Amino acid sequence: MNKKFLAFGAVALASATVLSACSAGGDASSTGAAGSGSLSIYAWAGEIPDSVIEGFEAETGIDVTVDTFDSNETMISKLAAGNSGYDVVEPSQYAVQLMVERDLIAEIDKSKLEGFDNLAEKFVDPSFDPGNTHSIPWAWGTTGILYNEACTGAEVTGWADMWNPDYAGKVYMLDNMLSAYIAGLQVNGLSATTTDEAEIATATDSLLEQKPLLGGYNSTNYADLVGTGDACIAEAYSGTTAAKAVEANPDVHYIIPEEGGTLWTDSFSIVAGTANEDAAYQWLNYTLRPEVAALVTDDASLASTNAAALELVADQSQVENPAIYAPADSLTNSEFIVDPGDALAYFQDGWTRVRAS
Amino acid sequence: MERLNSWIARLVFVFLYLPIAALIVYSFNSSEVSYRFDGFTFRWYAELFRDQMLLESLRTSALVGVIAAVLATVIGFLSAFALVRLRVKGRAFFVGAILIPLIVPEIVLGVSLLTVFSSAGLPTGIVTLVLGHVVITLPLATLVLMGAMSSLDPSLSEAATDLGASPWVTFRRVLFPLLRPSILAAFLLSFTTSFSNIVISTFTAGVGTTTLPLRIYSTLRTGLTPELNALGTLLVVATLGVILLVGVAQMRRILAGPRP
Amino acid sequence: MVDVNTPRTSRAAGYLMLLPAVAVITLLVIVPMVVIARDSFAVSDPLGGNLGGFTLDNYAKLLDPVYAKTLGYSLGMAALNAAVCTVVGYIVAYYIATRPAKTQPVLLVLVIIPFLTDFLVRTFAWITLLGSGGPFISLLRLLGVEAQSLVPSQLAVTLSLLYAFLPVAVFPIYASMRSIDPSLKEAAADLGAGWWQTHARIFVPLSASGLASSVMLTFVPTLGVFVIPVLLGGGKDPLVGNLIVTLFTEFRNEPLGAALSMVVLVLMLLSVAAAGLILRARSGSARAGRSRSPKKASAV
């Protein structure tokens, strides 16, 4: 009588198989760290290597849970709803500003920190968080250009090349308002952190002018597109993806545009009202250690903010790789992209027009 | 024409498994980039089984999917039965209400659900995930079951009643067997919808309950890794294997003789 | 409980059975929607906070032709996708429904299995298949055809949307087609009706509710799709779902996002109501044409 239910059962069984296959592993990690407290971290995917978490758990006996988010905004809305249950979060630079203003992250007690002076100069007292009162930078990178020389047929030096009609249909921009405006502003010789309405309007015009040349807006698989040559030139973030693309194809290069460099950095912050403050400070101190910070380069192909960590990176070619660590001389007048505050409205109006044009 | 229809349908099945075939091939690709096949490797399978976070998110998704799909199918069945088989007044109103979640953009539903849960003091986690997924799968299950019930021949149950069968017996012996494949369809559709949801999960997941799609979506910024191909391959192959096994058992039982 | 002869008790039972659904919808849909409706009139601050208050500014901003353009494009894409999915879904559903009873559940499960792999992983598989290093392009080049990558292209978007939405088209059509009496097909054949006639006169009208569900389930969610247009279509033309996500996240303007959502919601409710009216007229005639006891047909 139950013949059709068998198929039903098949699916249930399959799910059960999956469940039991995974539960074995899942339980092992939670029983391993019995009773020494817990720490819940909400972070960008791929920015905290497993080696860091395992090392921390082994040393402190604290049970760490890491959840990952795909944008600062979803992370903020989860925290703003209250009762999120997270102890440590990893906001980007402008998100730190927003979270401070909305009282979502707690002030850091410097007297409880060890190894703060390991941080590179650029990340001490940064523009987005004066005095590092609310954030300890962990990983950083740049916004630049990834290009395929076999396709462009020439060396690419700056943003102006992204307006070159020879590459029509094979130019890709990041699908992100503030990132797109970095190119739009700097190509006109303007500061990427401007809040001036007229300057932003100039950038908007440039982006509108560029749109017919674009293959598309893409923040996800642009590195693959450059690798295959489906894209000649793409606006790109440095880090894991760019490094992989450069390594896989000798024609692919990552450069910081000559018009100027911009920095992003993702920092650890303590969630306001956390119940596990001690564990949170232990985490900050653990990740400030040079040998731990070096793992972000070794295991995640990202640049570490820790100056003392650089010489501890096992594969020193990573430190020389511009797709991970931007060369010091190209960073002389580089700035962090910070929250535009009230000028956000100018960017939004412009970006809405660009996207719908 | 009938033959043409069959051929097109078979082609659609090929179409459905085309990306799966690509997935299987690339799960053995030793290159880290997807656009080039460098050689054969088991490395991604090894990495998959070491990736605790990914496996735990798989467990969360499977658990939430099964619970949400069972709830949606049961509630959907009850609703469809009431709306189609019984003379409930205000049918259009109820149908409209059940369909609202389909019309609301997911992010809007997600954001507002988060607001509602937090003001109700309900911490995000498995419970909120299940609730969120029931909301979006309920219309699917209800629509499928309503479709099935509304095209059932009413004379069947009437005949049973005329022959003196009690309503419960009529339901169990006549209606339910006829509806079983549609119940299966409703369950499967609900399960896969829950299993693949990103947006609602974003706002209803809590500490330690990141679902598989959330986990994968968040890795987009650093690029999808080939171990995800390995995971996809295993899920498909395991399910196909189970079905094959069950299918064989079924054949045996049929050959062994008619059942009561 | 299922006694059609005592309408009053069965009606009471009906309401009881609707209770769980009504509870879910009220608490988890209506209440959140009231919150959103309220937010759509609120004042926002540039930090992404919601200051409350009452303003019509959010709706006034939506009068910008930019929004109408996006909405129009989205509706076009959604209509195209709904049409493609429903036609293909009908073909597949008919195929499944006409197989032996034992194979039907197996085929259903076969339709759904590919969807156990993650949506993004599947989408990337399509990119690999259709991209310049993939088998299609390689094959074309082998045949001497100079072919460009199919990604990004409208074709890639359409194929990938069909792929993503096929089960929600197949399942409701199958469910409503399954219980069509097979003898009707034979009768039609005996009367000399061709394939087209049999379908146009019998199968399509009798599976009307499934077809309507299929259109609903593929049309509306297309509006909210945002990964496929970006990855396979280049992302130059945002869909309205994409725009709402941008408003809620990148623009930190929840009230404006809420207002746009309310507009979409009302548009969709209107179209669903219209579809419901059309369907009621159709299914009324279909039912009367099929039922062997027309007098009692209204009980169904």
Side-chain angles (χ1 to χ4, degrees), chain C residues 22-284:
Chain C
V22 169
V24 167
I25 297 297
T26 310
L27 293 175
L28 301 174
V29 182
I30 307 288
V31 171
M33 282 313 105
V34 170
V35 173
I36 286 293
R38 168 74 195 84
D39 278 354
S40 71
F41 295 103
V43 180
S44 65
D45 76 359
L47 291 175
N50 181 338
L51 302 178
F54 181 87
T55 176
L56 289 172
D57 283 359
N58 300 314
Y59 287 95
K61 269 192 202 147
L62 294 180
L63 294 175
D64 191 320
V66 158
Y67 295 99
K69 193 186 164 195
T70 304
L71 204 58
Y73 175 73
S74 309
L75 292 175
M77 282 290 287
L80 176 69
N81 185 41
V84 172
C85 285
T86 304
V87 169
V88 177
Y90 180 86
I91 291 171
V92 175
Y94 176 76
Y95 176 78
I96 298 178
T98 49
R99 293 311 99 185
K102 264 167 264 156
T103 30
Q104 288 184 21
V106 178
L107 288 173
L108 277 184
V109 175
L110 279 181
V111 168
I112 210 84
I113 286 176
F115 296 86
L116 289 174
T117 54
D118 186 73
F119 166 73
L120 284 170
V121 177
R122 272 182 279 128
T123 307
F124 273 85
W126 273 114
I127 295 173
T128 312
L129 284 173
L130 299 174
S132 53
F136 287 122
I137 301 298
S138 308
L139 191 71
L140 284 177
R141 290 199 179 135
L142 215 66
L143 297 171
V145 184
E146 191 43 54
Q148 281 280 324
S149 170
L150 285 169
V151 182
S153 71
Q154 184 61 46
L155 178 71
V157 174
T158 312
L159 272 182
S160 167
L161 281 175
L162 169 66
Y163 195 88
F165 286 103
L166 195 58
V168 294
V170 170
F171 282 38
I173 302 176
Y174 165 80
S176 64
M177 204 183 257
R178 209 192 90 73
S179 26
I180 295 173
D181 193 337
S183 60
L184 280 175
K185 192 174 131 193
E186 285 153 31
D190 291 346
L191 292 173
W195 191 89
W196 284 108
Q197 265 185 313
T198 313
H199 278 262
R201 297 273 177 80
I202 300 175
F203 283 96
V204 171
L206 288 183
S207 56
S209 70
L211 288 167
S213 301
S214 161
V215 170
M216 268 283 301
L217 292 175
T218 50
F219 181 82
V220 183
T222 312
L223 297 175
V225 165
F226 57 98
V227 177
I228 289 176
V230 169
L231 288 179
L232 291 141
K236 282 169 84 175
D237 303 298
L239 295 178
V240 68
N242 201 343
L243 200 60
I244 292 175
V245 171
T246 308
L247 289 174
F248 266 93
T249 58
E250 212 176 353
F251 284 15
R252 302 178 221 141
N253 198 336
E254 212 175 294
L256 186 56
L260 183 55
S261 309
M262 292 314 290
V263 171
V264 174
L265 192 64
V266 169
L267 274 179
M268 290 301 110
L269 278 173
L270 287 178
S271 51
V272 170
L277 284 178
I278 295 166
L279 190 68
R280 182 180 288 182
R282 291 218 59 160
S283 69

Side-chain angles (χ1 to χ4, degrees), chain A residues 4 7 73 98 101-102 172 175-178 211-212 214-217 220-221 228 230 339 342 344 348 351-352 355-357, chain C residues 46-49 66-67 69-70 101-102 105 109 124 127 131-132 148-149 151-152 230-231 234-236 238 249-252:
Chain A
K4 279 143 203 164
E73 287 77 11
L98 291 175
E101 298 206 41
R102 295 177 71 175
Y172 280 79
D175 187 13
N176 174 286
M177 175 178 71
L178 290 178
K211 192 163 179 186
L214 293 184
Y217 292 100
T220 46
N221 63 334
T228 56
D230 286 335
D339 183 66
D342 291 339
L344 186 67
Q348 290 176 350
W351 185 236
T352 311
R355 289 309 309 274
S357 75
Chain C
L47 291 175
V66 158
Y67 295 99
K69 193 186 164 195
T70 304
K102 264 167 264 156
V109 175
F124 273 85
I127 295 173
S132 53
Q148 281 280 324
S149 170
V151 182
V230 169
L231 288 179
K236 282 169 84 175
T249 58
E250 212 176 353
F251 284 15
R252 302 178 221 141

Side-chain angles (χ1 to χ4, degrees), chain B residues 155-177:
Chain B
S155 55
L156 281 175
S157 58
E158 280 160 24
T161 313
D162 290 348
L163 291 171
S166 76
W168 174 243
V169 170
T170 310
F171 173 77
R172 201 168 58 88
R173 302 295 287 272
V174 180
L175 293 178
F176 192 68

Side-chain angles (χ1 to χ4, degrees), chain A residues 110-118 284-286 288-289:
Chain A
K110 292 279 177 36
S111 67
K112 291 186 184 170
L113 289 183
E114 292 160 31
F116 181 70
D117 37 335
N118 288 332
L284 292 185
N285 288 334
Y286 185 77
L288 274 169
R289 292 186 199 165

